[in-house]
Amino acid sequence: AKLLAQHSEFGVQLNLKAKNDKVNVGQKPGFTLVLTNTTDKPVTLMRSRDGSEVGWLMPKIFVTAVGPDHKPVNLLGGRCGNTGPLQKEDVVTINPGKSFDLLSTGFQHHILQRFAPQHPGTYRVHVTYDTTRTMRDGNDKEAILDDVLPVRLKSNTVMLQVE
């Protein structure tokens, strides 16, 4: 599958929103990352997991932030190599016309929840969400994933003003 825009051919929309789009240096803007099913049928996807933000486990949820100097911001920092096992709660079904906030349940230490810009200026942030399987998924080849819709989505870009 190719990298898809904010609204995919599958009828799933990925929307990134900052709770505060104007923050002080070191302040967390607080994000929501919402999947919306715009079809007339249920869609099965996955919530954020420990390892999603580095591509170790499905779904892969990559955050791209560009700082005021127009250079990518390193959001990862250090992390341990541990991840949690796949749970049936990691797979979510979104009914027609309904939405699911990827950061509201599941892994609670995602990069978006920790992001606190360290320099003043304008930041541009977007997210890619990927449920396509790869060899790196390791033990995630379980039957629980059989119903997960393979998508690659790109969110809208959020502009943050940091003072």
Side-chain angles (χ1 to χ4, degrees), residues 30-65:
F31 289 99
T32 58
L33 184 60
V34 177
L35 288 167
T36 301
N37 178 357
T38 60
T39 73
D40 58 359
K41 295 182 179 167
V43 173
T44 302
L45 293 165
M46 297 184 74
R47 67 182 183 176
S48 177
R49 298 172 59 207
D50 185 2
S52 289
E53 77 279 10
V54 290
W56 290 346
L57 298 175
M58 283 178 49
K60 294 162 188 68
I61 303 174
F62 296 115
V63 179
T64 301

Side-chain angles (χ1 to χ4, degrees), residues 31-148:
F31 289 99
T32 58
L33 184 60
V34 177
L35 288 167
T36 301
N37 178 357
T38 60
T39 73
D40 58 359
K41 295 182 179 167
V43 173
T44 302
L45 293 165
M46 297 184 74
R47 67 182 183 176
S48 177
R49 298 172 59 207
D50 185 2
S52 289
E53 77 279 10
V54 290
W56 290 346
L57 298 175
M58 283 178 49
K60 294 162 188 68
I61 303 174
F62 296 115
V63 179
T64 301
V66 176
D69 58 359
H70 304 286
K71 294 181 182 175
V73 177
N74 179 3
L75 300 175
L76 288 178
R79 68 156 287 144
C80 71
N82 297 329
T83 60
L86 179 66
Q87 305 288 324
K88 68 179 180 177
E89 297 83 23
D90 292 329
V91 176
V92 296
T93 298
I94 307 169
N95 288 318
K98 299 297 181 183
S99 298
F100 177 77
D101 184 352
L102 285 161
L103 304 178
S104 65
T105 65
F107 184 58
Q108 295 297 301
H109 302 288
H110 195 277
I111 293 167
L112 281 171
Q113 294 157 313
R114 297 188 318 257
F115 181 52
Q118 298 301 306
H119 303 283
T122 302
Y123 288 74
R124 292 164 181 77
V125 183
H126 75 268
V127 176
T128 55
Y129 173 87
D130 186 348
T131 58
T132 60
R133 294 192 197 186
T134 67
M135 294 303 289
R136 294 186 70 191
D137 292 330
N139 295 330
D140 284 357
K141 302 279 189 214
E142 300 176 35
I144 195 169
L145 298 177
D146 288 347
D147 293 331
V148 173

Side-chain angles (χ1 to χ4, degrees), residues 15 36 68 151-152 161:
N15 188 37
T36 301
V151 296
R152 287 184 183 154
Q161 189 59 45

Side-chain angles (χ1 to χ4, degrees), residues 3-41:
L3 184 63
L4 302 172
Q6 182 181 359
H7 188 272
S8 84
E9 61 197 67
F10 302 108
V12 179
Q13 184 176 6
L14 181 62
N15 188 37
L16 177 65
K17 184 176 181 183
K19 294 175 185 171
N20 299 304
D21 59 0
K22 293 182 181 178
V23 296
N24 294 319
V25 169
Q27 182 183 0
K28 296 176 185 177
F31 289 99
T32 58
L33 184 60
V34 177
L35 288 167
T36 301
N37 178 357
T38 60
T39 73
D40 58 359
K41 295 182 179 167

